[in-house]
Amino acid sequence: MSLVTSTEMFKKAYAGGYAVGAFNVNNMEIVQGITEACKEEKAPVILQVSKGARAYANHTYLVKLVEAAVIECPEIPIVLHLDHGPDFETCKSCIDGGFTSVMIDASSKPFEENIEITKKVVEYAHDHGVVVEAELGTLAGVEDDVKVDAADSSYTRPEEVEEFVAKTGCDSLAIAIGTSHGAYKFTPDQCTRNEKGILVPPPLRFDVLEEVSKRLPGFPIVLHGSSSVPQDYVKMVNEHGGKMPDAVGIPEEQLRQAATLSVCKINIDSDLRLTMTGTIRQFFDEHPDKFDPREYLKPARANIKETVRHKLRDVLGCAGKA
């Protein structure tokens, strides 16, 4: 099987009440951990690359790593997607360079300018058999070059979605309903604390999601900033020399609920970073004499695999849907 677009994935996900995981990749071990989990769980997957990942690892290396995953995992459909494409030129480079899906993120622009930029990308992408994700509303948080203060974030306005989709021709739409990029999605002041003293973030705006779904029946919706920031890995980081106070993510039960509605793609990045970092910190703490990268990257890869497996089964609901 060669790389595919997300079109059929999203049709099946929408009808089946589940979401496809979109996992950010930066190196070989992350690609392997994700795709091995998906292969064993028989789950479709979107491997996504940010502008920062392309700068770090080089476009060609990343494409070839994903192509290797396609060869090693022929039983599952794999999409190669550009995450948060900042402009037409970046999207064009990825379209020309083998990606099957791109995101153009002009959500920080005025509405009409967002439409204009998105439409230009859509026209070029569709001419080349590539699908396009766009965004309305602005998520807070930090992810690579995407940095938005909480004061500048905004929920998606449901009354705008029909016009936006009709005028741009985009294939899926990322909306803002309270998710946030990074491991520090909410300040303590935005949260409450449960009986164990653990921060509990404010609930997602399902009213916005439901209204968008009514206005765009059958249309695939995307959630960015949807890592859950697993507290066992935050604890692991902190116990082995890290300093991550008050890191908190999106409750997994809320993401599962969103996946039963119109959300067909859920982005997960920080959870994989935490998994890798916590594992490596623990390894070095316990084995200060070790220096072979293979010795600490192997358990990191294995734990990424288990983190992804959990997401496929218990959060996304896409295990067995390949």
Side-chain angles (χ1 to χ4, degrees):
M1 183 183 292
S2 58
L3 286 167
V4 301
T5 71
S6 54
T7 302
E8 290 303 314
M9 277 188 189
F10 289 168
K11 287 180 181 177
K12 293 177 180 178
Y14 198 105
Y18 62 87
V20 178
F23 300 95
N24 286 70
V25 298
N26 298 279
N27 61 18
M28 182 186 75
E29 288 77 15
I30 294 174
V31 171
Q32 289 174 327
I34 295 166
T35 54
E36 286 174 13
C38 291
K39 179 180 179 179
E40 293 178 11
E41 293 298 325
K42 297 179 173 59
V45 68
I46 297 168
L47 300 178
Q48 56 185 25
V49 171
S50 66
K51 176 185 174 183
R54 292 177 83 224
Y56 166 75
N58 180 286
H59 174 102
T60 303
Y61 280 103
L62 290 168
V63 170
K64 294 305 179 182
L65 283 171
V66 173
E67 289 177 352
V70 172
I71 293 170
E72 292 297 318
C73 306
E75 309 92 337
I76 61 171
I78 299 175
V79 172
L80 176 55
H81 174 74
L82 170 66
D83 188 27
H84 287 290
D87 48 45
F88 174 80
E89 289 72 23
T90 303
C91 292
K92 181 179 184 299
S93 175
C94 290
I95 292 165
D96 295 342
F99 283 53
T100 54
S101 175
V102 296
M103 178 198 186
I104 175 64
D105 182 3
S107 60
S108 63
K109 308 292 186 184
F111 182 69
E112 292 298 335
E113 188 176 353
N114 190 352
I115 288 176
E116 180 182 355
I117 295 170
T118 301
K119 183 179 179 182
K120 183 179 180 182
V121 173
V122 168
E123 289 173 348
Y124 187 83
H126 286 182
D127 284 345
H128 292 78
V130 172
V131 295
V132 178
E133 174 187 330
E135 182 167 346
L136 267 182
T138 308
L139 273 67
V142 177
E143 181 182 18
D144 287 349
D145 294 332
V146 181
K147 299 177 176 67
V148 179
D149 291 335
D152 297 324
S153 64
S154 61
Y155 293 115
T156 299
R157 295 166 56 86
E159 61 270 22
E160 294 179 340
V161 298
E162 293 162 290
E163 179 184 357
F164 184 85
V165 169
K167 287 186 175 180
T168 63
C170 65
D171 301 284
S172 61
L173 185 65
I175 66 172
I177 62 169
T179 57
S180 177
H181 290 126
Y184 300 94
K185 299 183 184 298
F186 309 97
T187 66
D189 290 343
Q190 292 175 293
C191 304
T192 56
R193 291 189 183 270
N194 63 19
E195 65 280 359
K196 296 180 180 179
I198 297 172
L199 291 175
V200 178
L204 298 181
R205 289 287 302 274
F206 280 97
D207 57 323
V208 173
L209 174 59
E210 290 168 358
E211 183 60 28
V212 168
S213 303
K214 289 178 184 177
R215 292 172 179 268
L216 296 174
F219 194 81
I221 301 302
V222 176
L223 287 188
H224 284 246
S226 296
S227 283
S228 299
V229 189
Q231 293 302 298
D232 53 344
Y233 278 109
V234 172
K235 182 180 179 182
M236 186 184 292
V237 168
N238 290 335
E239 287 180 345
H240 297 282
K243 293 181 179 179
M244 296 190 66
D246 298 329
V248 63
I250 308 299
E252 290 185 335
E253 61 272 15
Q254 292 188 39
L255 296 173
R256 184 71 198 98
Q257 182 181 349
T260 65
L261 302 172
S262 58
V263 173
C264 297
K265 173 177 178 275
I266 292 179
N267 289 14
I268 299 168
D269 184 10
S270 295
D271 288 355
L272 303 189
R273 297 184 186 194
L274 277 168
T275 299
M276 175 165 269
T277 299
T279 303
I280 293 173
R281 278 191 173 276
Q282 182 181 51
F283 181 92
F284 279 134
D285 213 7
E286 296 175 350
H287 306 280
D289 58 318
K290 300 293 187 180
F291 62 93
D292 186 341
R294 294 170 297 183
E295 293 193 64
Y296 55 82
L297 289 174
K298 186 176 180 180
R301 179 177 60 192
N303 282 347
I304 285 175
K305 180 177 175 180
E306 292 311 307
T307 292
V308 172
R309 189 194 305 277
H310 163 65
K311 298 292 184 180
L312 301 175
R313 290 179 175 177
D314 304 320
V315 182
L316 301 163
C318 62
K321 306 298 185 181

